[in-house]
Amino acid sequence: MDLFDAIAGRTSIRRFKQTPVPDGDIRKILDAGRLAPSANNTQPWSFLVIKDKKTLAAMAGAVRDQIDRMIPHAEDEKQAQRLAAYKSAYYTFFENAPVVIAVFLEGYDAGTDKLLARMGYAAEEIKRLRPLPGLQSVAAAIEHMLLACHALGYGSCWMTGPLVAQEAFEKLLGYGKEKFIAALLPVGVPDEEPQARPRKALGEVMSIKAD
């Protein structure tokens, strides 16, 4: 598949057939992520492939439990209803995918950030000057994997909503504070054909500074 066709044709998929995803294809998807660019070539990522249905069900249950704790703190009834909708589908559909890839951000030691701190810059100022290069690196790996999924005939979705249950995921998946999940990518043969969502015209988002 041509790269630009893959970019234009990829959509977020939330419904999957239960067709197994061969290990060889999973490795191709992960390898695409591995080849992404990263800040100072630190490659601050790791990938956990989750196929076990009991584990996925437990993760989805943890998301629902966390949303139940969040709902009483909603700003208004509209937000509470939106959270309830997230609980029933939008944050938990990953449990129905044949495979879920948990993409981790490993520890990222940014010497420049430490230098700026010693110069007196506050944490928020440093974030503005150096907007999370470790997370940007992992985001590049995620996009590579999404395009690889599409090129191989699979669907996926860049999911961060379920990470409200990250504390529970730590226990379920056995990792500690030295890293965290940046996104979940459910992977499978699509069982839907959603239309691409509208994008702003190029003229709305670009400008040129020339001599």
Side-chain angles (χ1 to χ4, degrees):
M1 180 181 291
D2 176 78
L3 172 63
F4 290 96
D5 289 341
I7 292 171
R10 188 213 64 81
T11 57
S12 294
I13 299 297
R14 298 177 173 86
R15 292 175 58 190
F16 305 92
K17 296 179 181 178
Q18 291 307 305
T19 307
V21 180
D23 288 346
D25 286 348
I26 294 172
R27 291 182 68 86
K28 287 180 181 178
I29 293 165
L30 298 178
D31 207 37
R34 180 185 67 85
L35 295 172
S38 62
N40 202 30
N41 197 32
T42 50
Q43 304 171 61
W45 49 61
S46 62
F47 314 115
L48 174 64
V49 178
I50 308 167
K51 298 180 181 181
D52 182 66
K53 287 297 184 183
K54 289 182 180 178
T55 299
L56 292 175
M59 291 171 66
V63 175
R64 295 185 184 98
D65 290 345
Q66 179 70 343
I67 292 176
D68 281 340
R69 289 189 287 270
M70 293 167 65
I71 287 175
H73 301 279
E75 294 180 356
D76 51 37
E77 182 59 28
K78 184 177 180 180
Q79 186 180 48
Q81 291 175 355
R82 187 164 63 247
L83 285 168
Y86 290 167
K87 169 186 167 181
S88 63
Y90 197 69
Y91 279 13
T92 56
F93 66 84
F94 66 85
E95 68 179 324
N96 298 315
V99 176
V100 173
I101 300 170
V103 184
F104 286 90
L105 171 58
E106 304 279 350
Y108 178 76
D109 186 15
T112 303
D113 292 359
K114 294 176 182 177
L115 177 59
L116 290 169
R118 288 199 297 271
M119 292 170 63
Y121 285 92
E124 285 304 311
E125 293 174 314
I126 294 172
K127 189 183 296 185
R128 183 176 66 84
L129 295 173
R130 299 250 310 152
L132 304 176
L135 189 57
Q136 287 190 53
S137 301
V138 172
I142 292 169
E143 180 65 4
H144 272 210
M145 288 190 283
L146 290 176
L147 292 175
C149 286
H150 180 62
L152 290 169
Y154 300 110
S156 187
C157 185
W158 190 325
M159 298 189 72
T160 58
L163 304 183
V164 295
Q166 180 108 226
E167 292 176 335
F169 291 172
E170 290 176 5
K171 296 180 178 134
L172 287 168
L173 302 178
Y175 63 95
K177 305 298 182 185
E178 75 284 353
K179 61 182 180 180
F180 63 87
I181 298 176
L184 295 179
L185 304 184
V187 179
V189 176
D191 197 22
E192 61 176 345
E193 296 183 8
Q195 295 295 312
R197 299 185 70 179
R199 300 296 198 271
K200 294 178 180 178
L202 183 59
E204 293 183 64
V205 297
M206 71 166 285
S207 58
I208 299 175
K209 184 174 177 60
D211 294 337

